[in-house]
């Protein structure tokens, strides 16, 4: 029998504890690339968030965030999609939530090409169709809907940081775009 008082905020670490954990352990994340699909299910648009990084530069990114302790992957995806795209985005999670890839971020350049200065992170990466109205929230300044060709253009690819442009190429290849 457990007589301990339940943690009132399970799954969250204080900023100091998170800093220490990031120095010692890989962190688990989900990343979601919102897409709009045509009637045949092909990707017609890709939703990319625009936000300022810590240096004040504007960068493109995806919906992303940590998986909390005792949280399912599905719940983490839905929480972060709602947090970044708003409650009316209406994401359509697959009955079988398999990522298109597992992205490994390291604090310094590595063979994966993905970097995150703060930590070693492992991210399950998904393409998620959304059918509703998206309104960026939190630290995102805007959500741009681009065709796959526009999203893969050199000018947009240059706006990604940490290798995320390559991750977008993988996502679209997984969806059969560019065959």
């Amino acid at each position: 029998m457990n007589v301990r008082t339940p943690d009132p905020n399970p799954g969250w670490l204080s900023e100091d504890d998170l800093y220490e954990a990031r120095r010692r352990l890989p962190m688990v994340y989900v990343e979601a690339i919102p897409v709009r699909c045509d009637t045949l299910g092909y990707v017609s648009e890709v939703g990319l968030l625009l936000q300022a990084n810590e240096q004040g530069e504007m960068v493109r990114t995806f919906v992303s965030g940590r998986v909390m302790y005792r949280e399912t992957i599905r719940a983490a995806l839905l929480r972060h999609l709602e947090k970044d795209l708003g409650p009316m985005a209406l994401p359509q999670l697959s009955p079988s939530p398999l990522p298109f890839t597992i992205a490994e971020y390291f604090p310094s350049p590595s063979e994966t090409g993905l970097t995150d200065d703060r930590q070693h992170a492992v991210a399950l990466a998904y393409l998620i169709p959304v059918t509703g109205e998206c309104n960026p929230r939190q630290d995102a300044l805007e959500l741009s809907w681009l065709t796959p060709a526009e999203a893969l253009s050199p000018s947009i690819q240059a706006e990604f940081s940490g290798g995320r442009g390559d991750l977008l190429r993988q996502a679209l290849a997984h969806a059969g775009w560019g065959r």
Side-chain angles (χ1 to χ4, degrees), residues 26-171:
M27 302 300 288
V28 179
Y29 278 72
V30 291
E31 289 194 302
I33 301 173
V35 295
R36 301 252 193 232
C37 297
D38 64 18
T39 56
L40 294 176
Y42 294 112
V43 172
S44 59
E45 293 180 305
V46 178
L48 300 177
L49 296 170
L50 184 66
Q51 65 184 39
N53 66 15
E54 292 187 10
Q55 293 77 34
E57 303 164 329
M58 301 307 286
V59 295
R60 297 276 177 187
T61 192
F62 315 123
V63 172
S64 180
R66 288 192 315 268
V67 177
M68 294 190 313
Y69 179 70
R70 299 187 55 86
E71 181 178 41
T72 66
I73 298 301
R74 286 171 146 334
L77 278 167
L78 287 174
R79 178 171 57 84
H80 290 294
L81 284 160
E82 181 175 330
K83 174 184 65 87
D84 287 348
L85 303 180
M88 299 307 294
L90 304 178
Q92 307 294 305
L93 294 186
S94 169
S96 175
L98 296 173
F100 69 83
T101 195
I102 298 170
E104 297 178 274
Y105 292 88
F106 291 93
S108 56
S110 73
E111 60 274 6
T112 70
L114 299 169
T115 59
D116 183 333
D117 296 339
R118 304 167 300 166
Q119 65 194 334
H120 174 193
V122 176
L124 305 174
Y126 296 87
L127 276 172
I128 304 290
V130 295
T131 59
E133 184 68 31
C134 297
N135 295 307
R137 301 171 7 151
Q138 299 296 86
D139 56 352
L141 301 174
E142 91 179 17
L143 174 69
S144 302
W145 288 104
L146 306 171
T147 67
E150 290 169 335
L152 294 175
S153 71
S155 61
I156 296 296
Q157 289 290 301
E159 295 178 10
F160 284 103
S161 65
R164 285 175 179 83
D166 288 337
L167 199 56
L168 178 61
R169 276 194 285 283
Q170 287 179 37

Side-chain angles (χ1 to χ4, degrees), residues 1-5:
M1 180 167 101
N2 187 353
V3 294
R4 294 181 4 169
T5 304

